[in-house]
Each structure stands twice: as structure tokens, then as C-alpha cells.
Amino acid sequence: MDIADNIKELRSNVPDSVKIIAVSKTKPLEDIKTAYMCGIRDFGENKVQELVDKHDKLQDDIRWHLLGHLQRNKVKYIVGKVHLIHSLDSVRLLDEIEKQYSKRNLTADALIQINIGREEQKYGVLEENLPELIKAVEECSKVKIHGIMAIIPKGSEKENEIYFRQVFAIWNELKNKQYKNISMKVLSMGMTHDYKIAVKCGSNMIRIGEGIFGKRDYNI
């Protein structure tokens, strides 16, 4: 199947209320242009340098999403180029985003990344540290939080559903509270191999790479 067929099939499997982020990391400009011609406007990248390079070479109406871990020394490069930062995971990173966006008098839109599986090799704030991060967000003037993102541990469908429901419960609890600079509109969870379960558990934003572009060649 080609990219156009993959997008058509994907859209047939999710309701219109679910936002599809096409994860274009390592993929050439031609593939992104094909997905763009099929109506995709939201593209996700893991690395700042790759995102900035593609941002400068492709259509202005593309909404770029930074999905990967954001190093503090790289924040300055994405100001004004990223539609949504998915990976806010610490107060230190928050402070740097606030600082760099204040310099340009722009607002950063972001999601809080939660490490729901408490995996040492993955980034994301632990649930018990959420209150500290939320308190810091409320003190910002240039950062707005729009929801939560999570990457769950690999496992069976049953295990996946348990984690997705845990993330949904956190998101839903926060959604019913009033915070400054925070609105829980977005729940970003689910990728190519588990997005159907994620949507069933309440996700309204999915991140699809292989399911659109096919397998990646990480040697590129």
C-alpha cells in the first residue's frame, strides 16, 4: 500500500474528532509532500534539527509537532516554528521555554509528557511530580498547556489498555479542575500499533509513522 492508501485506511478507522499527527522523522520531503496532498497538515518530528530543516523547506501552513525529548539548549531554535511541543517533562525545561519565548514575545503551546510506565529509559514526568510542574506552569506568562501526551510500555492489548486508561484518568481529573495557563483539551496517546485501543480509551490525538509512511531506515 502507498502513502495515500495508508492515510485513507487510517481515516476510515478513527472518528473525525481524532487528530492525526503524521510522524515524518527520517522521511524525505517527497513523502511529506505526498501526505500533504492527501490533506495531512500536522507532522511530527523527534529531533529539533530535522524539524527546523523541514519547516524551512515545506509549505507554510504545515503544523509542526515536536514529539521527541527537547533539550534545553535546543529550545531557542524552535521558537516560532513549532505548533505544539508534546514533550514538556520538567520544571527546568519549562523555565527555558518561558525564557526563550519571552525573548521573542511569543507563546509556546505544549503538552505535558507523562511517564505512565515509570520506565527509566523514557522521558516524561512521573504522576507524583505533576503538581509541582502544574504549579510552575501557572506562574508562566509565555507557556500554555493544552493537554497530556504519553508513550506507554510495549505489551499486550490488555496491558496497553490498562496504561491508556490510567493516562485518561489523570487527564480527566485535571480536565475538571481550574488552572491558570492550562486547559486539558488534548489527550495525545496511541501510535501505529496501538492507536485503535488508545482511541477506545479516550485519545483524541494519535501519532502515526509506519502506518502512513512505512518502515523507517534509521541509517539515513
Side-chain angles (χ1 to χ4, degrees):
M1 295 177 72
D2 62 13
I3 291 172
D5 289 333
N6 290 341
I7 292 171
K8 185 177 180 180
E9 181 184 7
L10 182 61
R11 283 181 170 147
S12 71
N13 287 328
V14 297
D16 293 339
S17 57
V18 175
K19 174 76 72 177
I20 297 169
I21 311 299
V23 182
S24 48
K25 63 180 182 180
T26 77
K27 292 299 179 179
L29 299 181
E30 291 72 23
D31 286 1
I32 298 174
K33 290 175 182 176
T34 299
Y36 180 92
M37 292 299 292
C38 296
I40 297 290
R41 292 295 179 272
D42 293 270
F43 291 87
E45 291 288 336
N46 275 35
K47 295 182 178 179
V48 168
Q49 184 176 347
E50 189 172 359
L51 184 150
V52 170
D53 182 58
K54 289 175 177 177
H55 172 279
D56 294 344
K57 293 177 180 176
L58 291 162
Q59 289 87 340
D60 291 339
D61 63 337
I62 286 178
R63 294 180 291 267
W64 291 100
H65 298 249
L66 185 70
L67 308 177
H69 176 64
L70 178 56
Q71 295 173 289
R72 283 174 292 136
N73 63 351
K74 299 285 181 68
V75 173
K76 59 189 174 184
Y77 299 115
I78 64 169
V79 179
K81 297 189 176 186
V82 170
H83 175 71
L84 189 63
I85 300 167
H86 286 233
S87 47
L88 175 61
D89 60 2
S90 70
V91 174
R92 293 177 73 197
L93 176 57
L94 173 68
D95 290 343
E96 185 63 25
I97 294 172
E98 173 79 4
K99 174 184 172 183
Q100 294 299 333
Y101 274 76
S102 293
K103 287 180 180 179
R104 296 270 301 275
N105 195 29
L106 294 173
T107 299
D109 296 310
L111 305 178
I112 293 173
Q113 180 177 354
I114 293 180
N115 185 346
I116 195 65
R118 310 181 74 87
E119 296 176 278
E120 290 185 7
Q121 72 274 27
K122 284 184 181 174
Y123 294 99
V125 64
L126 298 177
E127 184 177 356
E128 63 266 26
N129 296 329
L130 260 177
E132 178 190 10
L133 183 54
I134 287 172
K135 182 179 178 182
V137 169
E138 290 193 286
E139 296 171 359
C140 290
S141 62
K142 296 298 181 184
V143 180
K144 304 293 182 188
I145 297 300
H146 296 274
I148 281 175
M149 184 273 264
I151 302 171
I152 67 168
K154 291 182 179 178
S156 66
E157 284 193 17
K158 187 175 181 180
E159 290 168 330
N160 291 347
E161 184 166 342
I162 290 170
Y163 282 117
F164 284 141
R165 293 203 181 279
Q166 288 176 353
V167 178
F168 176 83
I170 295 169
W171 176 77
N172 199 46
E173 183 180 352
L174 295 174
K175 189 179 181 182
N176 291 317
K177 294 181 179 180
Q178 293 293 321
Y179 297 106
K180 183 182 177 184
N181 300 324
I182 296 173
S183 63
M184 286 287 140
K185 295 179 181 177
V186 175
L187 180 54
S188 175
M189 59 183 193
M191 298 186 286
T192 295
H193 302 296
D194 58 19
Y195 75 87
K196 291 179 182 177
I197 307 168
V199 170
K200 184 178 79 169
C201 294
S203 174
N204 58 22
M205 181 178 283
I206 56 177
R207 310 176 302 273
I208 308 297
E210 279 189 20
I212 290 176
F213 298 108
K215 291 193 179 294
R216 294 187 186 88
D217 181 357
Y218 286 99
N219 295 319
I220 296 176

